[in-house]
């Protein structure tokens, strides 16, 4: 047959003529597909794609372009909003690169592909069977378990859509776990038979979801009766003939001399290569590297250049006789030959400098952000490969056989060589993108791309058959299902001057470099072999899931969404309240922690509300001055928390208030910074529980989104300093956070950053949730808060009519301007003063505890704020009031009167007042750990 006749022959005609298989459908379908036979008891024929880049070497721009275009069509079908919610799922091993290219075309969606490689410590998020495949089990191993749990569209990508069984199995499995309303199936070709056409619509109705199908072309395969048996017989006949012609009856095995040496591996470092040494005397130029006479030519010719056929969508092949494919399969050894004559097999390793943190593919998920990083790194990686390809004579390795004059170097052409980039089984996308970058950069006259495969296919050297040659080699990635043969099709005899073998590091094993391994097989047929290894990405099994984004108003709290982000979980629908006395009794009798329940929210009387409004009006300027002083002190001293890589002027505080008493203060500090300095400071609220520490998941979230050194913890006031000590102890396990608290009032002398050390009334202490955004005190209970959850709290929406949170903030902010000058003076004095904690309050509390026979400092609550909390939440015993405290204690006296608690005035008190919790073993006392204390 003449070359021009071969160029137009369909690559499925050989199978069609012998088995009666017909391919019918859209125009251009045969340009996309050829036919071959496979050793498979379930299906005799194989549809071989010319544009997939798996079995048939193809231009990378053609391979990538077909997938990318399908992705663009899906994006147009879904619309931008739905496309942004979508997830793309590709099938291993054939469609991993196709699916990834579709995800690139979709642009907005993360990508995942199924895998047959289990990973220790990674639990599958799903799995399914591919009934017609030689290797059926697929695993889904996303690093983020929530990747497949969303409600957005799921886009499933395979090279062909035939019976639909694989897709239906996938959807059925995933829909049972995470139902969604829309699926899109993407394939290069839709090859369903007439009886399968209605299955998809019926299944969509069954699961009550929309299922769309997007494909480049459609058609079907007509199979005559008995085609499976006829195909198996045809395969057996050809394999028997191949075995009979093989030396020693090795047949389709990798073959070659059992003692053959593996090709030496050099590491490419420079485009300059050493000159080949002169041949020693007595060495013939046809001899191999070991001086022995080289084997017969693979093609059986006398050394003349082989005929070539090059056409779009078909591999470049040589014509070496009817059994050339089998001999190409067997050819190994220390020397081998190409169309250019004998040459020494060698392998050059090139360091890609793969970007750290970017996965090698979609086995565990690949995000649009990963794609951006990879795009930026590809030109440099391709340049390194091009440098290695540009040197026809790579440097020798230490201890490797020296090249002789008889070892002909790979030829240098007028331009760059013909290059094949060969991927590895599921690793299709990374080598495809490298090949595409080489093609775009003009690094070779022609770049082609394909990959190795698990799929056993018969090779027949005929222009009407899609698989012309086959290389066979052992698996080299230590597969979970055990050792076995692997294949590279249409590589031998493809006319390639160089091949770039791209594997992941899990497959860079001794088997890869063995005498019968992939590299030796490639070196036996291609003059120049470059090995590029991509680091295998394996998620850390111990990696904890990141908690969700902060809660914000108005969905949670009555504060505006920019005022504060609550690093809490919403427990509003959980019944947590109990009457005060019952709650205290339960804590004592059952050993429950105080943070496991909530007191009933106090509903103030008209008289008490009037006191709150009067106190707010009276103290607003005083509070504004303290807010300004503490905020400007924080801003002035924050540059001292200098962190590497950031100029001190560029860092800004991140306010983190201790919920809930600290939260109104954090909002006011944020308002001051914006009002006086034009700064928008981030503000979050976190939970801290005495005896249990601060919310570790909240700290993890903060560390992931801000530099820990920028975090400034904020509270309303200090009492004796228990929370200050709790915070310092809790932060010991976390790097970078500064274990200090900034407060409005520090009467106990517990902190160094404060607005004042006077003990005065802060009206937000007068009420509970109705002055704190309608948010409860925080809750920590193991049946409600899991190991990866934020602590909980409730949002009392039903109390909106009584909410004065906004009134409190606005009233104080209205006084900012009038106190500005006083704040400037205060800050100057504070910055020059000795503000080291004195812990004078703690000493006073210890004295009071002993003097009143309590013997537990945790039952002594000093200061106006803490005393108010005792009267609102706990079982108070008595109130100690500083003589002459005046209006600051009006609300305390009213509450004490309502609860029948005596108020004892005293002169020897560093605070305005002190609240004492009942120390008897009745419905009252709690100890240092929140549990009961013994009766006195």
């Amino acid at each position: 047959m003449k070359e021009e006749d071969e160029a137009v022959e369909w690559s499925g005609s050989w199978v069609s003529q012998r088995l009666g298989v017909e391919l019918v459908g859209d125009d251009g379908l045969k340009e996309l597909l050829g036919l071959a036979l496979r050793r498979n008891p379930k299906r005799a024929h194989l549809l071989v794609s010319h544009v997939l880049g798996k079995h048939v070497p193809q231009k990378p721009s053609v391979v990538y372009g077909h997938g990318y275009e399908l992705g663009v069509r899906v994006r147009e079908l879904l619309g931008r909003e739905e496309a942004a919610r979508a997830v793309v799922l590709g099938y291993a091993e054939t469609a991993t690169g196709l699916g990834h290219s579709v995800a690139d075309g979709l642009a907005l969606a993360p990508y995942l592909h199924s895998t047959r490689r289990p990973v220790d410590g990674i639990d599958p998020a799903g799995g399914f069977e591919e009934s017609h495949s030689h290797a059926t089990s697929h695993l889904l191993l996303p690093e983020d378990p929530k990747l497949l749990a969303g409600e957005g569209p799921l886009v499933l990508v395979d090279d062909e859509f035939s019976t639909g069984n694989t897709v239906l199995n996938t959807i059925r499995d995933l829909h049972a776990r995470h139902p969604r309303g829309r699926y899109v199936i993407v394939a290069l070709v839709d090859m369903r038979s007439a009886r399968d056409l209605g299955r998809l619509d019926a299944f969509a109705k069954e699961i009550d979801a929309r299922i769309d199908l997007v494909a480049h072309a459609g058609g079907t395969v007509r199979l005559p009766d008995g085609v499976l048996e006829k195909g198996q017989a045809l395969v057996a006949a050809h394999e028997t003939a191949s075995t009979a012609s093989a030396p020693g009856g090795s047949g389709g095995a990798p073959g070659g001399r059992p003692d053959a040496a593996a090709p030496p591996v050099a590491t490419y470092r420079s485009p300059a290569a050493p000159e080949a040494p002169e041949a020693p005397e007595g060495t013939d130029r046809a001899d191999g590297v070991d001086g022995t006479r080289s084997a017969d030519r693979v093609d059986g010719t006398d050394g003349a250049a082989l005929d070539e056929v090059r056409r779009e969508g078909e591999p470049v092949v040589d014509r070496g006789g009817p059994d050339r494919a089998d001999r190409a399969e067997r050819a190994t050894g220390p020397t081998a030959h190409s169309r250019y004559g004998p040459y020494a097999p060698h392998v050059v390793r090139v360091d890609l400098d793969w970007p750290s943190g970017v996965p090698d593919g979609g086995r565990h998920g690949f995000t649009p952000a990963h794609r951006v990083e990879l795009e930026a790194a590809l030109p440099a990686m391709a340049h390194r490969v091009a440098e290695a390809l540009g040197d026809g004579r790579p440097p020798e390795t230490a201890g490797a056989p020296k090249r002789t004059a008889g070892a002909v170097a790979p030829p240098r052409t007028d331009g760059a060589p013909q290059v094949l980039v060969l991927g590895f089984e599921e690793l299709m996308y990374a080598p495809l993108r490298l090949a595409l970058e080489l093609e775009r950069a003009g690094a070779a006259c022609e770049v082609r791309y394909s990959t190795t495969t698990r799929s056993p296919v018969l090779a027949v050297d005929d222009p009407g058959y899609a698989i012309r040659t086959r290389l066979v080699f052992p698996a080299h990635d230590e597969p979970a299902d055990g050792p076995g043969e692997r294949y590279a099709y249409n590589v031998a005899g493809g006319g390639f001057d160089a091949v770039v073998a791209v594997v992941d590091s899990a497959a860079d094993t001794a088997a890869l470099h063995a005498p019968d391994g992939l590299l030796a097989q490639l070196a036996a047929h291609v003059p120049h072999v470059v090995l590029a290894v991509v680091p295998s990405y394996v998620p850390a099994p111990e990696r904890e899931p990141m908690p969700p984004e902060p809660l914000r108003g108005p969905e949670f709290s009555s504060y505006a969404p920019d005022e504060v982000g609550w690093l809490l979980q919403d427990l509003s629908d959980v019944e947590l309240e109990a009457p005060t006395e019952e709650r205290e009794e339960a804590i004592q009798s059952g050993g429950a922690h105080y943070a496991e329940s909530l007191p009933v929210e106090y509903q103030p009387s008209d008289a008490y509300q009037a006191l709150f409004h009067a106190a707010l009006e009276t103290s607003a300027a005083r509070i504004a001055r303290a807010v300004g002083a503490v905020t400007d002190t924080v801003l002035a001293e924050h540059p001292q928390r200098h962190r590497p890589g950031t100029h001190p002027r560029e860092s800004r505080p991140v306010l983190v208030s201790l919920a809930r008493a600290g939260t109104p203060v954090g909002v006011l500090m944020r308002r001051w910074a914006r009002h006086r300095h034009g700064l928008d400071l981030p503000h979050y609220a976190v939970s801290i529980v005495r005896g249990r520490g601060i919310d570790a998941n909240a700290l993890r979230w903060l560390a992931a989104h801000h530099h820990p050194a920028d975090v400034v913890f904020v509270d309303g006031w200090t009492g004796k300093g228990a929370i200050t000590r709790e915070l310092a102890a809790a932060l010991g396990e976390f790097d970078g956070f500064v274990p200090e608290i900034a407060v409005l009032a520090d009467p106990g002398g517990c902190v160094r950053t404060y607005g004042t050390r006077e003990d005065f009334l802060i009206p937000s202490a007068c009420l509970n949730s109705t002055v704190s955004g309608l948010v409860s005190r925080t809750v920590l209970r193991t049946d409600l808060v899991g190991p990866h959850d934020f602590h909980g709290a409730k949002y009392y929406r039903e109390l909106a009519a009584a909410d004065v949170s906004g009134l409190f903030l606005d009233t104080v902010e209205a006084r900012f301007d009038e106190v500005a000058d006083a704040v400037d003076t205060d800050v100057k004095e504070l910055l020059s003063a000795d503000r080291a904690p004195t812990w004078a309050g703690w000493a006073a509390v210890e004295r009071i505890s002993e003097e009143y026979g309590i013997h537990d400092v945790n039952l002594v609550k000093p200061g106006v704020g803490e005393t108010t909390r005792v009267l609102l939440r706990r079982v108070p015993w008595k109130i100690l009031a500083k003589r002459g405290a005046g209006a600051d204690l009006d609300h305390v006296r009213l509450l004490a009167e309502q609860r029948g608690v005596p108020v004892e005035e005293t002169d020897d008190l560093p605070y305005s007042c002190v609240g004492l919790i009942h120390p008897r073993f009745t419905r009252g006392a709690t100890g240092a750990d929140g549990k009961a204390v013994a009766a006195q």
Side-chain angles (χ1 to χ4, degrees):
M1 180 177 290
K2 296 181 180 179
E3 180 175 332
E4 58 267 23
D5 294 330
E6 293 186 358
V8 296
E9 184 170 356
W10 175 45
S11 63
S13 59
W14 192 92
V15 174
S16 180
Q17 292 166 4
R18 286 161 178 76
L19 295 183
V21 176
E22 295 183 72
L23 191 65
V24 296
D26 295 341
D27 292 341
L29 186 62
K30 290 184 177 180
E31 296 178 8
L32 294 175
L33 296 175
L35 292 173
L37 298 177
R38 56 175 160 186
R39 291 178 282 170
N40 189 316
K42 301 175 183 178
R43 184 187 292 180
H45 72 282
L46 175 70
L47 295 175
V48 180
S49 173
H50 295 156
V51 299
L52 182 63
K54 176 51 88 170
H55 305 89
V56 177
Q58 178 57 275
K59 291 181 179 179
S61 55
V62 173
V63 176
Y64 187 72
H66 276 77
Y68 191 92
E69 180 187 342
L70 286 169
V72 172
R73 290 173 57 186
V74 174
R75 187 176 62 200
E76 293 171 348
L77 172 68
L78 294 175
R80 181 178 180 83
E81 182 176 344
E82 283 294 279
R85 300 173 62 231
V87 176
V88 180
L89 175 62
Y91 287 92
E93 66 179 36
T94 309
T96 59
L98 175 64
H100 212 143
S101 303
V102 170
D104 284 357
L106 203 60
L108 305 171
Y111 175 64
L112 177 74
H113 70 68
S114 65
T115 180
R116 294 189 177 99
R117 181 192 289 179
V119 177
D120 290 341
I122 305 298
D123 295 327
F128 52 91
E129 296 296 314
E130 187 176 8
S131 57
H132 66 271
S133 174
H134 61 283
T136 59
S137 296
H138 288 246
L139 300 172
L140 298 176
L141 304 176
E143 179 176 16
D144 179 3
K146 296 181 180 178
L147 183 66
L148 296 172
E151 297 180 352
L154 182 63
V155 181
L156 303 102
V157 183
D158 207 353
D159 57 320
E160 64 175 271
F161 188 56
S162 49
T163 64
N165 288 335
T166 301
V167 169
L168 295 185
N169 287 340
T170 308
I171 296 177
R172 192 180 303 279
D173 177 82
L174 295 179
H175 197 78
R177 300 167 186 256
H178 306 291
R180 65 185 74 226
R182 190 168 189 181
Y183 298 87
V184 181
I185 299 166
V186 179
L188 289 171
V189 289
D190 175 10
M191 300 300 292
R192 287 175 293 171
S193 64
R195 66 178 182 180
D196 289 325
L197 288 175
R199 294 181 64 198
L200 207 57
D201 292 338
F203 183 70
K205 292 179 181 178
E206 176 188 332
I207 65 172
D208 191 24
R210 175 176 174 179
I211 303 180
D212 297 292
L213 176 64
V214 177
H216 274 306
T220 190
V221 180
R222 292 177 181 169
L223 302 174
D225 293 338
V227 67
L228 179 59
E229 293 76 12
K230 292 179 182 177
Q232 291 173 337
L234 190 56
V235 169
H238 274 263
E239 289 185 335
T240 299
S242 297
T243 301
S245 64
S250 61
R257 294 191 349 221
D259 59 345
V265 178
T267 298
Y268 183 81
R269 294 185 180 88
S270 168
E275 294 296 326
E278 290 296 322
E281 284 189 35
T283 303
D284 188 272
R285 293 189 61 85
D287 290 347
V289 292
D290 58 357
T292 60
R293 191 70 181 175
S294 39
D296 291 339
R297 289 185 53 86
V298 171
D299 57 6
T301 66
D302 59 1
L306 300 170
D307 291 336
E308 302 171 4
V309 175
R310 305 175 186 266
R311 63 177 180 263
E312 191 72 23
E314 184 168 325
V316 180
V317 295
D318 59 22
R319 311 293 161 196
D323 61 343
R324 181 193 56 78
D326 177 63
R327 287 198 299 273
E329 179 180 65
R330 298 194 309 271
T332 57
T335 60
H337 298 260
S338 74
R339 57 195 174 116
Y340 302 101
Y343 62 89
H346 58 265
V347 178
V348 175
R349 182 189 293 269
V350 61
D351 180 10
L352 290 176
D353 194 17
W354 185 266
S356 176
V358 174
D360 52 298
R363 180 179 287 113
H364 304 295
F366 198 98
T367 67
H370 289 142
R371 179 165 59 87
V372 172
E373 291 186 65
L374 180 60
E375 296 277 0
L378 275 170
M381 290 193 289
H383 180 70
R384 294 183 185 93
V385 173
E387 282 188 333
L389 288 170
D391 176 24
R393 292 175 298 176
E396 305 287 354
T397 54
K402 297 296 183 182
R403 183 180 294 121
T404 68
V408 180
R412 301 300 297 264
T413 60
D414 292 339
Q418 312 288 333
V419 174
L420 172 68
V421 177
L422 184 68
F424 156 63
E425 296 185 27
E426 293 178 10
L427 186 73
M428 296 186 69
Y429 181 74
L432 172 60
R433 294 308 309 273
L434 278 171
L436 182 62
E437 198 66 31
L438 288 170
E439 182 183 20
R440 288 172 173 172
C445 291
E446 185 174 76
V447 178
R448 296 274 170 154
Y449 160 80
S450 64
T451 76
T452 66
T453 176
R454 283 170 162 248
S455 182
V457 185
L458 179 71
V460 178
D461 185 27
D462 188 281
Y465 190 82
I467 303 298
R468 305 290 294 275
T469 66
R470 177 178 66 182
L471 297 180
V472 185
F473 51 92
H476 53 91
D477 62 338
E478 299 178 353
D481 55 354
E485 290 183 348
R486 300 295 186 262
Y487 312 93
Y489 297 113
N490 295 322
V491 175
F496 298 111
D497 302 298
V499 58
V500 181
V502 184
V503 303
D504 62 12
S505 55
D508 186 18
T509 62
L512 175 70
H513 300 266
D516 61 346
L518 172 62
L519 296 182
Q521 294 286 6
L522 294 175
H525 297 278
V526 181
H528 190 23
V529 179
V530 174
L531 173 63
V533 180
V534 178
S536 300
Y537 182 79
V538 180
E542 68 276 6
R543 183 176 299 174
E544 297 178 350
M546 182 57 63
E549 291 300 299
L551 301 172
R552 295 185 182 272
E555 288 77 17
F556 186 86
S557 88
S558 60
Y559 290 133
D562 63 331
E563 299 269 32
V564 59
W566 301 85
L567 296 177
L568 299 170
Q569 64 165 315
D570 188 355
L571 300 179
S572 300
D573 296 331
V574 182
E575 188 67 37
L576 294 167
E577 295 80 7
T580 301
E581 288 77 10
E582 291 182 15
R583 177 172 173 268
E584 294 284 1
E585 188 173 50
I587 290 172
Q588 294 182 48
S589 62
H593 194 278
Y594 77 88
E596 294 178 353
S597 61
L598 293 174
V600 176
E601 279 288 303
Y602 170 73
Q603 297 303 303
S605 64
D606 291 343
Y608 189 84
Q609 291 185 57
L611 278 177
F612 166 79
H613 288 285
L616 177 59
E617 186 61 31
T618 301
S619 62
R622 196 175 182 184
I623 297 169
R625 183 172 174 177
V627 168
V630 70
T631 306
D632 282 1
T633 300
V634 166
L635 292 173
E637 295 187 334
H638 190 72
Q640 296 176 16
R641 300 184 177 192
H642 183 57
R643 49 191 173 88
T646 303
H647 192 280
R649 290 194 299 265
E650 296 175 358
S651 67
R652 59 173 179 164
V654 176
L655 304 178
V656 178
S657 58
L658 303 181
R660 73 184 164 185
T663 303
V665 178
V667 175
L668 285 171
M669 291 177 67
R670 185 179 184 280
R671 288 192 179 190
W672 177 274
R674 183 178 57 191
H675 183 86
R676 294 288 296 165
H677 306 290
L679 295 175
D680 277 322
L681 303 184
H683 176 213
Y684 307 95
V686 302
S687 170
I688 188 169
V689 176
R690 193 180 75 246
R692 300 285 182 85
I694 198 166
D695 187 338
N697 289 319
L699 292 184
R700 285 181 51 233
W701 190 95
L702 288 168
H705 293 80
H706 302 281
H707 197 287
D710 287 337
V711 170
V712 177
F713 294 98
V714 174
D715 208 354
W717 56 85
T718 63
K720 56 184 174 290
I723 291 299
T724 304
R725 295 186 176 190
E726 188 81 47
L727 178 68
L731 292 180
E733 300 179 9
F734 296 89
D735 294 333
F737 291 98
V738 179
E740 297 179 0
I741 304 178
V743 298
L744 277 191
D746 178 36
C750 307
V751 300
R752 64 178 305 277
T753 306
Y754 51 84
T756 179
R757 275 186 169 160
E758 295 180 8
D759 184 21
F760 72 99
L761 172 63
I762 301 173
S764 60
C766 295
L767 300 171
N768 285 328
S769 68
T770 52
V771 78
S772 302
L774 298 181
V775 174
S776 75
R777 190 183 50 71
T778 59
V779 174
L780 180 57
R781 208 167 81 187
T782 55
D783 60 328
L784 299 174
V785 179
H788 306 305
D789 294 332
F790 292 137
H791 294 188
K794 298 185 73 167
Y795 173 28
Y796 293 115
R797 298 170 178 84
E798 65 274 15
L799 300 180
D803 186 24
V804 292
S805 304
L807 173 68
F808 171 69
L809 298 172
D810 295 342
T811 302
V812 175
E813 184 179 17
R815 312 300 283 272
F816 282 174
D817 288 336
E818 71 178 71
V819 301
D821 292 340
V823 168
D824 291 343
T825 301
D826 292 343
V827 172
K828 289 179 182 177
E829 294 177 355
L830 286 168
L831 293 176
S832 61
D834 179 7
R835 292 176 283 124
T838 64
W839 297 100
W842 190 276
V845 167
E846 288 183 325
R847 176 182 58 79
I848 293 170
S849 174
E850 296 304 312
E851 185 177 311
Y852 282 84
I854 299 173
H855 308 298
D856 188 338
V857 294
N858 290 288
L859 302 182
V860 180
K861 302 296 184 180
V864 178
E866 293 301 303
T867 301
T868 304
R869 287 180 171 187
V870 170
L871 290 165
L872 291 177
R873 305 182 194 170
R874 310 297 290 272
V875 178
W877 182 35
K878 61 180 64 178
I879 304 299
L880 307 182
K882 187 175 184 178
R883 200 180 310 277
D888 276 347
L889 299 189
D890 285 349
H891 76 291
V892 171
R893 294 188 179 94
L894 179 59
L895 284 174
E897 180 183 347
Q898 291 175 347
R899 298 202 63 180
V901 179
V903 177
E904 180 180 315
E905 294 199 356
T906 178
D907 294 316
D908 187 17
L909 205 62
Y911 300 93
S912 297
C913 59
V914 174
L916 305 181
I917 295 174
H918 204 297
R920 305 302 178 191
F921 190 77
T922 59
R923 296 189 180 189
T926 56
D929 60 355
K931 299 179 181 180
V933 297
Q936 304 299 319

